Amino acid sequence: MTNRVPVLIVGGGPVGLALAGDLGWRGIDSVLVEARTATIFQPKMDMIGIRSMEFCRRWGIVEDVHQAGYNRDYIQDCAWVTDLNGYEFGREEFPSPRQERAPKQSPEHRERCPQNFFDPVLSRFARKSGHADIRYRTELVSFVDHGDYVTATLRSREDGTEYELEATYLIGCDGGDSTVRQMLGIQMSGEGALTYTSNAIFRCDGLEKLHTSKPAYRYIFIGTEGTWATLVAINGRDQWRFSLIGDDSQHEVTEEEMRTAINRAMGKEFEFEILSILPWVRRQLVADNYRKGNVFIAGDAAHLTSPTGGFGMNTGLLDAVNLSWKLAANIQDWGGEALLDSYEYEQRPVAIRNVTEAGDNLKRMLGPRVAQPQPEVFNDDSPQTEAARREYGDAYTEAMKQEWFSIGIHLGYVYEGSPVIVPDGTPQPPLAVQSYEPTARPGHRAPHVWLSEDKSLLDEFGREFVCLRFDPAVEVAEFEAAAAVEGVPLRIVDVDNAEAAELYAAKLVLVRPDGQVAWRGDELVPDTAGLIGRISGQTAAVLAPTGA
């Protein structure tokens, strides 16, 4: 077995696997340990957001996601109903994944790919690099941070054997009950228990033929007590995830209670097979720190969110991509401590925003519990009842739009004030949820522009710093020389595209390996070595803003 490795990853969910994969893509060896097997019985996520799909594009696995197993022809509507054979209050219509088109701001669109399909895709990607050693049924027992490396004690769940592994860095991607976070003594802030919810995965062939509602990916069930359950298509065929939402009181739901609840949601008794039941607590928490010494946390270990909005795993993948290149930079001896410190500085505010927005989505979904629908909307089918239902349904439909349309969350995040990003003096645009206006302002995601029919400007980013030059007359030799001296990988890309030039709004734009803008200006700063030191975290020197 390997006795020394650059990175030890604890936790083999999508965030840990993505981190191992991205490190391997950069040529960095890692060992990933996961206490469970590779089999997922209760997928905790089912939507890959648009930014995450851009990362999949970078890694060359978009087609693998498409072919992972979800029925891409299944309609993606969301509907709110009394029951599946009852009244429909409202619906938001969405095309199937196969028919959905990318918005103008991205070369990709979101994709439906539950965790039981996505994890194997990421595992194959990580292993393909030849740099990721993935060990299932292996758990972390303890670790010691020696200052320049970490010693971890690991245990095989197959035979109980314990052994030690040394790593330069240890990353805890081990979920909401993170052993790594607890061993570090890191606290979390927020709301610890929003609801005690129970999920059931059940199988039913031809469920759509058993009810009068139009097909949908997600149903929200509303009764006189308010919103009480949801139903989600897990594979777009015969498997469904039913969530009995519960409240802030803990209660263990029996299989009989779950069956009764599922029959209530159907509006009649029907035949189905419960495959698994999982109780869980809906939380709204963010870790107070993301790093202590050579140990970091990411994903659910760092932030716990209500799934309303689909932000959890996607925020975790953002963690993985942000952290990966910074670890690689330090392992390859061109990154500094400030670069590692910037991971928490950049990602924690993003998590706070996303976790808060997800909590607000939950409040909107559960709104009727505060202002419950009046009993008359359920009583009969009179014209008065129909009018009351429609009024209630229209209000609920409008309230839910912020969850369904959230491109600003996925693409509009910004690393404002980061110590490794050089501001250009322009004001921060307002953060929006339902809309996104691309900008190349430092700290923001470098915008997408089609350079040809199938090539996005985003395809240039990923492995190194890229300096986009929109005016070939601007001399950059000094910049290249300064980067070479410090060993910072830098590539100059000349862009002859009027749309991109207007959008990026500067003659030179420096984009980091994760795809965020680090600096821009119409000419190089006088101190190019200082600029290189700043964006690589080798120096904490503050450069004066440069005009864009």
Side-chain angles (χ1 to χ4, degrees), residues 231-459:
L231 182 67
V232 169
I234 284 298
N235 62 3
R237 296 181 177 85
D238 63 346
Q239 291 188 27
W240 301 80
R241 182 180 66 224
F242 179 80
S243 297
L244 193 56
I245 294 172
D247 53 27
D248 59 0
S249 60
Q250 194 165 4
H251 169 67
E252 185 173 343
V253 177
T254 66
E255 182 171 333
E256 181 180 358
E257 287 177 311
M258 187 63 77
R259 284 189 173 277
T260 299
I262 293 173
N263 281 323
R264 176 190 174 188
M266 173 61 78
K268 65 179 183 182
E269 292 189 1
F270 70 109
E271 293 294 323
F272 58 92
E273 177 189 5
I274 292 182
L275 302 178
S276 62
I277 295 178
L278 176 69
W280 59 282
V281 184
R282 193 186 307 257
R283 305 184 189 278
Q284 185 172 319
L285 297 168
V286 177
D288 294 342
N289 302 102
Y290 278 25
R291 177 194 185 191
K292 282 195 174 181
N294 293 308
V295 185
F296 301 76
I297 55 175
D300 283 358
H303 41 79
L304 289 165
T305 178
S306 169
T308 39
F311 305 144
M313 187 279 297
N314 293 292
T315 305
L317 254 62
L318 203 61
D319 293 342
V321 172
N322 183 294
L323 181 58
S324 175
W325 75 272
K326 295 173 180 179
L327 294 172
N330 278 265
I331 291 166
Q332 294 165 348
D333 294 325
W334 59 266
E337 279 296 307
L339 194 62
L340 296 177
D341 287 337
S342 72
Y343 164 63
E344 175 184 322
Y345 195 100
E346 293 177 352
Q347 285 302 114
R348 190 169 181 271
V350 173
I352 292 172
R353 182 193 182 204
N354 294 1
V355 166
T356 302
E357 182 63 26
D360 290 345
N361 284 339
L362 176 66
K363 293 174 184 176
R364 284 184 279 269
M365 187 181 82
L366 300 182
R369 289 184 169 183
V370 178
Q372 293 182 355
Q374 297 302 309
E376 55 263 27
V377 307
F378 300 98
N379 287 344
D380 54 46
D381 293 321
S382 68
Q384 293 82 1
T385 296
E386 173 63 29
R389 286 171 174 167
R390 182 51 53 198
E391 180 180 1
Y392 172 79
D394 288 349
Y396 193 86
T397 299
E398 186 61 31
M400 292 298 291
K401 286 186 182 296
Q402 188 148 321
E403 177 174 345
W404 311 137
F405 302 99
S406 56
I407 191 172
I409 291 288
H410 292 278
L411 298 184
Y413 61 93
V414 56
Y415 299 146
E416 193 68 15
S418 169
V420 293
I421 286 175
V422 183
D424 65 358
T426 57
Q428 179 181 345
L431 295 176
V433 173
Q434 295 182 264
S435 62
Y436 164 67
E437 291 296 328
T439 175
R441 180 176 174 270
H444 293 256
R445 160 189 168 273
H448 152 74
V449 175
W450 286 115
L451 299 180
S452 62
E453 184 177 355
D454 59 356
K455 183 177 181 179
S456 166
L457 188 52
L458 268 58
D459 297 335

Side-chain angles (χ1 to χ4, degrees), residues 219-240:
Y219 296 97
I220 298 173
F221 299 100
I222 302 172
T224 54
E225 75 271 51
T227 303
W228 63 276
T230 64
L231 182 67
V232 169
I234 284 298
N235 62 3
R237 296 181 177 85
D238 63 346
Q239 291 188 27
W240 301 80

Side-chain angles (χ1 to χ4, degrees), residues 19-86:
L19 179 57
D22 195 70
L23 285 168
W25 187 71
R26 300 180 188 284
I28 302 298
D29 291 338
S30 69
V31 169
L32 182 153
V33 297
E34 168 56 54
R36 60 171 174 80
T37 67
T39 303
I40 302 294
F41 295 101
Q42 279 270 356
K44 296 180 181 179
M45 52 72 59
D46 54 63
M47 191 270 286
I48 306 177
I50 188 169
R51 183 56 170 156
S52 297
M53 285 303 298
E54 290 179 351
F55 296 145
C56 290
R57 179 187 181 93
R58 173 187 300 177
W59 298 329
I61 61 172
V62 168
E63 194 58 33
D64 297 291
V65 171
H66 291 172
Q67 297 177 2
Y70 189 87
N71 179 7
R72 300 187 71 241
D73 294 313
Y74 199 80
I75 201 72
Q76 296 297 289
D77 290 7
C78 297
W80 19 107
V81 300
T82 54
D83 58 65
L84 294 179
N85 282 289

